[in-house]
Amino acid sequence: MALNLKSTKDRPKGRERFFFIGDMSSGKTLSAATFDDPVWIQPVGEDSVDTLTKRGMDVPVIYVGGPANPSLGTSGSVIKDVYKVLDELLAQQKVDPEGLPGQTLVWDGCSHLGDMLVSEIAAGNIKDPGEMNQRLWGDVRDVWSRIQQICWQIDMHIVFIAHPHIETAQ
């Protein structure tokens, strides 16, 4: 049986999707910064872009979550903030596909973002405020699924960055 070799120049063109998972200071953020024209989405309180700033790199950042802060554009709801950003990107793409703010959308701090989603969803538990249950874990899954589905519609490279595990003080 002969190998069916293809040329890399014949590879289909399109946007790439990446998940960078690694320990703190392992180079995830710097690797993402090498993509074409990156735009960062970062939870308030996450300091990943400081890594870039210390190296003299300037990247646009969209903050999500945290307390309502008009200067940061946050509403006090991480879910509302994330959906607003995604809706605005889709709307911009519809009006002018060339008018997107960059070529790469970097979701840095996904571990922190996940914690924020869980906290917000658990706070809505009327029976046991702050406690998670099977239905609420399904709600968390639904939010992540919606984020992923919308991202795949946006004509930008997408990079998600997370830690392999989170250690919390007990």
Side-chain angles (χ1 to χ4, degrees):
M1 176 168 95
L3 293 175
N4 186 6
L5 300 175
K6 303 285 183 197
S7 170
T8 55
K9 69 180 171 131
D10 296 329
R11 187 171 150 257
K13 302 293 185 248
R15 297 304 185 165
E16 303 293 341
R17 310 308 190 215
F18 291 90
F19 295 87
F20 291 171
I21 300 171
D23 292 325
M24 192 181 318
S25 300
S26 62
K28 302 176 301 296
T29 298
L30 285 173
S31 294
T34 66
F35 280 73
D36 295 335
D37 196 13
V39 175
W40 250 250
I41 296 180
Q42 179 171 291
V44 170
E46 176 73 30
D47 60 0
S48 304
V49 293
D50 291 350
T51 301
L52 304 177
T53 305
K54 289 175 187 173
R55 288 177 168 73
M57 301 170 82
D58 184 25
V59 296
V61 181
I62 302 166
Y63 290 99
V64 295
N69 185 334
S71 68
L72 292 178
T74 58
S75 70
S77 164
V78 68
I79 297 170
K80 286 180 185 175
D81 291 350
V82 165
Y83 290 163
K84 178 183 176 213
V85 168
L86 293 172
D87 289 345
E88 288 176 359
L89 288 169
L90 282 176
Q92 177 61 44
Q93 180 173 281
K94 192 173 192 177
V95 171
D96 178 13
E98 301 298 316
L100 288 169
Q103 295 294 312
T104 305
L105 191 60
V106 179
W107 290 81
D108 207 344
C110 286
S111 301
H112 186 182
L113 180 62
D115 289 343
M116 293 171 85
L117 292 173
V118 169
S119 293
E120 185 171 320
I121 289 170
N125 185 344
I126 295 168
K127 187 175 181 183
D128 294 310
E131 297 295 319
M132 291 296 287
N133 59 39
Q134 187 173 0
R135 182 186 61 79
L136 296 177
W137 283 114
D139 292 348
V140 172
R141 183 210 57 228
D142 292 346
V143 171
W144 279 116
S145 292
R146 183 171 175 202
I147 291 170
Q148 181 263 318
Q149 290 167 359
I150 295 172
C151 281
W152 276 209
Q153 296 174 48
I154 298 170
D155 188 25
M156 296 174 79
H157 302 294
I158 308 292
V159 179
F160 289 100
I161 299 175
H163 295 124
H165 53 80
I166 302 294
E167 293 183 23
T168 58
Q170 295 186 8

